[in-house]
C-alpha cells in the first residue's frame, strides 16, 4: 500500500487486484498506467479488464519536483494512461497532476511503447476554450498542444466542456465520451420520476443541447433554459428561467460543478417558481472551497448526482445522502477494450456501459 500521497508505487503489489490476468494477445499487450491524482479509478478500470496496474514509481521531491520511473518495460505495448487532471485528496493540486501526466506520456514514449492513449476522466482547463477578453490565453488549446508535443497518440475524455476542444488536438484522434446515459439510467430507477411532469433544465445557454439529449432519453416533457448574466467564473449577476416549471420535477444537467454558486442559485430560482423537486446531474464534481457545504445546506436541492471522475470521499462526507456518486470505470474500460479491438466507439454513445457485458467480453475472450 502507498506510504503517502506524495511518494508511492502505482501498480504492482501496491494496488494488486483480485482478478487474475487474462492471457490473451489483445490484453497481454495492454498496459494500464496511472499517477497520483485518482489511482483508485485506474484500479477499478484495470480490474474490469482483468489486469493489474503497470508498476510506476511516482514521487514528489522536497523541492516540489515530480520524479517518475517506469518499473517494468512498456516496449511494444499499447499503453493507456488513466489519469484525471484533478487535485488528489492527499493534497496534490490540478497543475501538479497535469505536469505528472505530461512526464508520464513522455517517459512512456521514450520507453518505445507501441501506442499511447491518454484516458482522461476529467480534462482540466476545459472552460478556458475561447478568449473571453483581451490578452488572455486559450488554455485548453495550450494543454492539447503540450500533450501532443509529449507524444500522445490518442485521447479519450469524459464530457469535455465543449466539443470545440477536440479541434485543438489537430491530427490526434479524440473520443469525447458522454455520461448522459448513466445519468438517465439512474433517473429511470427513481420512484419520484413521472416523465410527463419532469423538466430538464440547462443552467446556461451553452448547455441546451446536453439538456435536450437527456430530455429525449428519459422522455421528459420539455427543456427549460436559465439565462444568466455572468460577471466571471462562478459569479452571476442576475438569473431568470425561460419556461414554466410550476408543479414539475426539475433535473439540472451540466458538466462541472465548481464553486456551487450557480447551481445553488439555479435551484433556489426553480423552487421559487413552483418546482416540486430539484435534482442535479453533473458529471465532474470539482466542488472546490465550501461548495460541498453550500449544497448540503441548500434546501432547494434534493439530490446531486455526480460521477467519480474526481475523488468524492471528502465531498460525500460533507454532503451525506444528498450526494450520489456513479462509477465511470465501466464506460472507460469499455472504451479501452474497443480501442484494443479496433472497434467503433459508437456503441458507447447509445446507452450506458454494461458492466456484465464487459466482463463477458473479457473473460470469455470474445475479442
Amino acid at each position: 500500500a502507498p506510504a503517502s500521497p506524495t511518494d508511492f508505487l502505482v501498480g504492482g503489489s501496491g494496488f494488486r487486484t483480485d482478478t487474475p490476468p487474462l492471457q490473451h494477445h489483445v490484453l497481454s499487450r495492454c498496459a494500464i498506467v496511472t499517477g497520483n491524482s485518482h489511482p483508485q479509478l485506474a484500479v477499478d478500470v484495470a480490474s474490469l479488464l482483468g489486469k493489474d496496474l503497470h508498476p510506476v514509481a511516482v514521487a514528489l521531491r522536497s523541492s516540489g519536483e515530480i520524479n517518475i520511473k517506469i518499473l517494468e518495460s512498456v516496449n511494444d505495448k499499447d499503453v493507456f494512461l488513466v489519469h484525471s487532471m484533478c487535485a488528489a485528496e492527499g493534497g496534490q493540486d490540478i497543475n501538479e497532476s497535469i505536469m505528472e501526466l505530461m512526464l508520464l506520456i513522455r517517459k512512456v514514449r521514450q520507453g518505445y511503447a507501441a501506442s499511447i492513449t491518454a484516458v482522461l476522466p476529467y480534462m482540466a482547463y476545459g472552460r478556458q476554450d475561447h478568449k473571453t477578453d483581451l490578452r488572455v490565453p486559450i488554455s485548453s488549446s495550450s494543454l492539447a498542444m503540450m500533450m501532443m508535443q509529449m507524444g500522445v497518440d490518442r485521447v479519450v475524455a469524459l464530457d469535455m466542456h465543449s466539443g470545440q476542444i477536440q479541434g485543438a488536438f489537430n491530427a490526434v484522434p479524440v473520443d469525447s465520451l458522454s455520461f448522459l446515459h448513466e445519468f438517465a439510467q439512474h433517473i429511470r430507477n427513481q420512484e419520484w420520476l413521472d416523465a410527463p411532469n419532469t423538466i430538464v433544465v440547462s443552467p446556461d445557454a451553452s448547455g441546451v443541447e446536453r439538456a435536450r439529449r437527456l430530455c429525449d432519453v428519459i422522455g421528459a416533457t420539455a427543456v427549460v433554459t436559465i439565462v444568466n448574466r455572468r460577471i466571471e467564473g462562478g459569479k452571476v449577476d442576475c438569473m431568470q428561467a425561460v419556461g414554466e416549471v410550476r408543479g414539475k420535477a426539475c433535473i439540472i444537467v451540466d458538466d462541472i460543478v465548481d464553486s456551487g454558486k450557480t447551481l445553488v442559485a439555479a435551484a433556489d430560482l426553480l423552487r421559487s417558481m413552483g418546482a416540486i423537486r430539484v435534482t442535479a446531474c453533473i458529471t465532474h464534481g470539482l466542488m472546490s472551497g465550501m461548495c460541498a457545504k453550500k449544497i448540503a445546506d441548500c434546501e432547494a436541492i434534493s439530490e446531486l448526482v455526480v460521477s467519480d471522475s474526481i475523488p468524492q470521499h471528502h465531498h460525500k462526507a460533507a454532503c451525506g445522502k444528498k450526494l450520489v456518486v456513479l462509477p465511470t470505470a465501466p464506460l472507460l474500460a469499455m472504451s479501452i477494450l474497443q480501442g484494443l479491438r479496433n472497434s467503433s466507439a459508437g456503441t458507447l454513445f447509445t446507452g450506458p456501459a454494461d458492466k456484465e457485458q464487459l466482463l463477458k467480453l473479457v473473460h470469455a475472450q470474445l475479442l
Side-chain angles (χ1 to χ4, degrees):
S4 74
T6 59
D7 186 4
F8 65 81
L9 178 67
V10 181
S13 60
F15 284 111
R16 199 74 182 175
T17 64
D18 295 328
T19 307
L22 181 64
Q23 298 302 321
H24 188 274
H25 71 283
V26 173
L27 285 175
S28 63
R29 72 167 190 258
C30 162
I32 310 294
V33 175
T34 192
N36 288 354
S37 65
H38 199 350
Q40 185 56 53
L41 177 54
V43 169
D44 294 341
V45 171
S47 180
L48 287 173
L49 294 170
K51 300 282 291 183
D52 293 315
L53 290 183
H54 195 84
V56 177
V58 183
L60 185 64
R61 293 179 174 175
S62 58
S63 62
E65 296 176 350
I66 297 169
N67 188 45
I68 290 173
K69 183 177 181 180
I70 309 294
L71 300 180
E72 291 183 9
S73 174
V74 292
N75 186 20
D76 203 33
K77 288 186 177 292
D78 293 316
V79 176
F80 293 85
L81 286 163
V82 182
H83 190 91
S84 200
M85 296 183 186
C86 64
E89 291 185 322
Q92 180 190 51
D93 65 28
I94 285 181
N95 294 311
E96 288 176 343
S97 175
I98 292 172
M99 188 63 184
E100 195 175 277
L101 175 63
M102 299 303 159
L103 294 176
L104 281 168
I105 294 173
R106 192 60 187 163
K107 190 59 190 174
V108 170
R109 174 56 66 205
Q110 293 173 338
Y112 302 103
S115 68
I116 303 174
T117 300
V119 181
L120 309 176
Y122 171 67
M123 181 175 174
Y125 289 94
R127 288 169 288 183
Q128 299 183 41
D129 58 354
H130 62 283
K131 295 190 71 170
T132 57
D133 204 345
L134 297 174
R135 296 177 292 279
V136 296
I138 304 176
S139 300
S140 62
S141 176
S142 300
L143 189 56
M145 293 170 65
M146 290 166 62
M147 293 175 65
M148 289 188 294
Q149 188 64 33
M150 291 299 100
V152 74
D153 296 307
R154 177 171 168 252
V155 174
V156 176
L158 179 61
D159 272 336
M160 287 181 161
H161 184 66
S162 64
Q164 69 195 42
I165 298 174
Q166 299 177 59
F169 284 92
N170 297 331
V172 172
V174 179
D175 290 329
S176 181
L177 305 178
S178 172
F179 208 63
L180 180 144
H181 289 284
E182 278 69 19
F183 283 141
Q185 185 179 53
H186 172 79
I187 292 168
R188 284 195 293 259
N189 291 332
Q190 303 307 303
E191 295 181 356
W192 55 262
L193 179 63
D194 178 19
N197 291 303
T198 300
I199 299 289
V200 179
V201 180
S202 172
D204 52 47
S206 63
V208 172
E209 180 58 26
R210 183 185 298 110
R212 186 195 63 77
R213 294 200 307 270
L214 181 61
C215 181
D216 291 343
V217 172
I218 66 173
T221 305
V223 172
V224 167
T225 304
I226 293 179
V227 179
N228 53 63
R229 180 176 178 270
R230 193 177 295 272
I231 304 173
E232 57 182 273
K235 295 183 179 180
V236 176
D237 183 36
C238 61
M239 180 179 285
Q240 64 184 48
V242 180
E244 180 59 50
V245 300
R246 184 170 299 279
K248 306 290 186 180
C250 293
I251 302 170
I252 299 175
V253 59
D254 206 353
D255 63 319
I256 298 173
V257 54
D258 189 355
S259 68
K261 293 178 182 178
T262 302
L263 174 60
V264 169
D268 287 338
L269 174 64
L270 294 171
R271 290 302 291 265
S272 70
M273 294 176 63
I276 59 175
R277 178 187 176 90
V278 177
T279 296
C281 293
I282 303 179
T283 307
H284 307 299
L286 289 176
M287 300 174 70
S288 59
M290 299 298 292
C291 177
K293 186 178 186 304
K294 291 175 189 173
I295 291 169
D297 295 341
C298 180
E299 296 181 358
I301 299 176
S302 302
E303 182 181 62
L304 171 60
V305 187
V306 300
S307 77
D308 65 350
S309 63
I310 292 165
Q312 297 295 330
H313 298 97
H314 293 168
H315 304 153
K316 184 69 175 176
C319 294
K321 294 182 179 180
K322 185 176 284 190
L323 180 64
V324 176
V325 184
L326 303 181
T328 58
L331 180 60
L332 299 176
M334 187 64 83
S335 71
I336 290 174
L337 190 61
Q338 298 289 61
L340 287 170
R341 300 171 69 199
N342 293 319
S343 301
S344 170
T347 56
L348 301 177
F349 298 90
T350 57
D354 189 334
K355 183 176 178 179
E356 296 302 320
Q357 179 189 8
L358 173 63
L359 292 175
K360 288 178 181 179
L361 284 172
V362 173
H363 294 287
Q365 303 185 28
L366 299 178
L367 303 172

